[in-house]
Amino acid sequence: MRVRHKPWAIDMIKDYPNIVIPEPDQAQGKWDQVFDQAQPLHVEVGTGKGQFLIGMAKAHPEINYVGIEMYSDVLVMALQKVLDEDQDLPNLRFIRSDGREISNFFEAHSLDRIYLNFSDPWPKRRHTKRRLTSPNFLAQYQEVLKPEGEIHFKTDNQGLFEYSLASMSQYGMAFRQVWLDLHASDFEGNIMTEYEEKFAAKGQPIYRLEAYYPQHES
């Protein structure tokens, strides 16, 4: 993702601590106090410009959402979208941090769902550990997800999707559903990301899966 540097981004983010949590590690175990209501908690790792999570927050006011984005220049665009909304979104918050820190922000078995949308594929083998579906990330997700919690993953990258299927399977995960062409399926309620709109307009298939940790259910 190439985004023009915005030298004012960090200052703007600091101006809205009610939307972008300034010290998310202090919220660990206290997210019910961060939001107006205690509700199921869903987290998107790599929230980008925020279109997906804003759409989800509007469609599901009964769920609390947190988006993690490490780049200030990108996160500030998500923040601006929230501010431009014609309605308040009390069930949406953001964290400016690396997804590798997720277990520092959420206590064990506290999340109901994790979203991974159009993550960087990191195609070179030496960068495998950076993929958000590599075993080191899967271990962290397992730690913070509830026993019935799920990972929902979408991508346009066939190589990353195939890798993710193998990585999750080898880790011991199971799949509730797998889509090889989401937009040609009968899936309902899909909220598209900015990337998804772009790729779908070109006719590229969108891959999607829902996975869980069966050992949690034993």
Side-chain angles (χ1 to χ4, degrees), residues 1-4 6 8-9 12-13 48-51 54 69 71-84 94 194:
M1 179 188 297
R2 291 186 178 181
V3 178
R4 182 175 297 177
K6 302 174 180 63
W8 44 267
M12 182 175 178
I13 287 170
K49 300 175 184 178
Q51 179 171 298
I54 291 171
E69 174 55 53
Y71 297 110
S72 299
D73 295 335
V74 178
L75 180 56
V76 75
M77 289 189 279
L79 172 60
Q80 188 63 63
K81 285 181 180 178
V82 172
L83 297 175
D84 289 343
F94 295 111
E194 293 88 350

Side-chain angles (χ1 to χ4, degrees), residues 153 161-162 164-165 168 174-182 185-187 206-211:
F153 172 69
F161 193 70
E162 292 172 350
S164 300
L165 286 170
M168 290 178 172
F175 304 99
R176 298 207 189 278
Q177 292 205 65
V178 174
W179 291 261
L180 299 180
D181 192 346
L182 178 63
S185 73
D186 59 357
F187 181 82
I206 304 301
Y207 306 94
R208 186 179 188 274
L209 64 80
E210 297 176 0

Side-chain angles (χ1 to χ4, degrees), residues 20-136:
V20 184
I21 306 305
E23 296 183 338
D25 56 318
Q26 299 300 311
Q28 188 182 51
K30 303 175 182 177
W31 283 98
D32 286 351
Q33 300 173 28
V34 172
F35 290 98
D36 292 351
Q37 298 186 60
Q39 302 183 140
L41 186 56
H42 293 191
V43 171
E44 183 183 22
V45 179
T47 202
K49 300 175 184 178
Q51 179 171 298
F52 171 80
L53 218 57
I54 291 171
M56 293 294 286
K58 292 168 68 174
H60 302 283
E62 75 283 1
I63 297 172
N64 290 331
Y65 294 92
V66 176
I68 301 176
E69 174 55 53
M70 67 184 297
Y71 297 110
S72 299
D73 295 335
V74 178
L75 180 56
V76 75
M77 289 189 279
L79 172 60
Q80 188 63 63
K81 285 181 180 178
V82 172
L83 297 175
D84 289 343
E85 283 291 322
D86 57 3
Q87 66 182 87
D88 291 333
L89 295 174
N91 62 328
L92 176 61
R93 300 289 186 270
F94 295 111
I95 292 172
R96 181 170 63 90
S97 186
D98 193 319
R100 287 175 289 190
E101 302 295 321
I102 190 170
S103 59
N104 292 331
F105 309 139
F106 303 97
E107 64 180 342
H109 311 316
S110 63
L111 303 185
D112 295 270
R113 185 174 298 170
I114 291 175
Y115 299 100
L116 307 173
N117 292 317
F118 298 86
S119 311
D120 192 325
W122 293 106
K124 295 182 179 179
R125 181 170 296 182
R126 68 176 183 271
H127 293 151
T128 299
K129 290 184 178 180
R130 298 187 183 184
R131 297 171 190 164
L132 293 186
T133 51
S134 61
N136 53 311

